[in-house]
Amino acid sequence: MNQTNTVSRLFGEHFLHDLNPQELQMLNKVRGLVVSHIGPNAHKVAQKDEFAWDTFRLLADEGVIGSAFPVEYGGTDARQVLRIRIIEELGRVCSASASLITGADLSCRAIVAGASPGMKDQLLPGLRSGQLQAAFALTEPEAGSDVRGLKTLIRQEGEHFVVNGSKKFITRGTTADWFMVVGRLETDSSRFVAVLVPRDAPGFAISPEVDKMGWYGVPISSLEFENVRVPAANLLGKIGDGFELAQDALLRARMGHAAMALGRAIGAVEIAATYMNDRTLFGKTLGAHQGAQWMLSDMVSQIEAARALLTITAQKYDRGDGDVSIYASMAKQQATDLCMKVVTDALQLTGGRGYMKDFPLERFFRDAKLNQIGEGSSEVHKTVIGRDVVRRSSSAQRNPSLREGSLVDY
Ligand SMILES: Cc1cc2nc3c(=O)[nH]c(=O)nc-3n(C[C@H](O)[C@H](O)[C@H](O)COP(=O)(O)OP(=O)(O)OC[C@H]3O[C@@H](n4cnc5c(N)ncnc54)[C@H](O)[C@@H]3O)c2cc1C
């Protein structure tokens, strides 16, 4: 244990009991990096709004990026119960740093799952060590929440695939070496195809970084593909697998968004509670006012409930449970909506101080919004969850307190 871990924390350490000694060692390493580098630099990263290469290299060198990669490629293929804790720690101080870990899932897991052996050998060691970067290109001008609107077409021509179309909001567009591009098969639009495109492929254009509200230090771009040819070996999985490969990457990234949001919510409470001790008004500290205590109470109880839900989800993923995707939707929606509320209330509790740009809550407030939109908006996840419950109720055990017969005629 290093010194950073002997100081008690405001939020419970109970979830750490799930981790083995090696996993705890990795988490402690991340905690040390948060104290020594990532926390103190978070404001500067956001101010510069440039990809934080030094943080990326640090997380790669320390094996944190590698936790998303298989052992045979030098990674540690960490369990999700560890990865959500790592992302939470980083999200507590810096969204851009947390996104380097969630981004590794999103952009690389489909390569792990579906690339040819040759492409795996070529790319995975570099992606794991931070020498290379990949991006995940699914969203299009007419296909965001509703991915059925995808218009990018991919056709096979002999030993090549040819890509035509546009993508938008693609994270790491300006820094990635390789792009996982999902489109429809030109000859059968009901089938989705995923291919790997190098950034220097002829006909491939990447826009300059697009300006945005928050998540400074996480660059996004639009992409254009005009008859971009890649070798057949760049196909991920089989023709028709494109969407399934994207879904697994998105599933992991959704847990990542939930963990990042919970980390930020925890950070916001830590900051607000410190302010409440420091600030005196109406003859006593802000923390001694019952109304303010009740706000803190709601925040902390709801954060712990959402952390428990996310932990269950991660355990389900690690066990390979069939219903993990619904739980990932629940965890993502609950954690990200909660984070927005917590950060808003924390900012309220810190008054005008919280509204100033040199105070982290201003940044947390802008960053929180993205977690409710990316990797499926809250509304999309609520639709998925509600639809699943209705579907399953038709075959589930009827509530034993009911008589026989339709409830319409009850
Ligand atoms: C900073 C950032 C980074 C991103 N990075 C990537 C990336 O790396 N790769 C990638 O492929 N994409 C990326 N995206 C895209 C992201 O996944 C989409 O923005 C997201 O899926 C929502 O799609 P949309 O923006 O087109 O919103 P729309 O589909 O236009 O939806 C607008 C809003 O409508 C509401 N809505 C949607 N569906 C329903 C419904 N069924 N019922 C009721 N309301 C609904 C929601 O509130 C939603 O926010 C990124 C986006 C941002 C902002």
Side-chain angles (χ1 to χ4, degrees), residues 106 136-140 143-146 168-171 212 215 220 370 373-377 379-380 383:
L106 190 59
F136 173 85
L138 178 67
T139 304
E140 298 184 1
S145 303
D146 185 1
K168 70 170 181 180
F169 303 150
I170 305 307
T171 301
K212 52 185 167 28
W215 273 48
I220 63 167
L370 189 269
I373 295 171
E375 317 311 351
S377 68
E379 292 74 16
V380 166
T383 305

Side-chain angles (χ1 to χ4, degrees), residues 3 45 47 140 149 194 222 244 263 265:
Q3 202 231 331
V45 166
Q47 263 187 322
E140 298 184 1
S222 300
E244 282 66 39

Side-chain angles (χ1 to χ4, degrees), residues 9 11 84-95 98 255-271 303 306-307 310 335-336 338-339 342-343 361 364 371:
R9 314 244 322 221
F11 276 80
I84 58 169
R85 296 276 90 83
I86 291 174
I87 296 165
E88 187 183 279
E89 290 295 327
L90 297 169
R92 187 170 155 245
V93 294
C94 178
S95 308
M255 285 186 262
H257 266 262
M260 186 191 309
L262 287 174
R264 188 184 305 111
I266 287 169
V269 172
E270 289 171 335
I271 292 165
I303 287 171
R307 286 175 97 196
L310 179 59
T336 60
L338 176 65
C339 174
V342 166
V343 170
L361 291 179
F364 284 19
N371 292 108

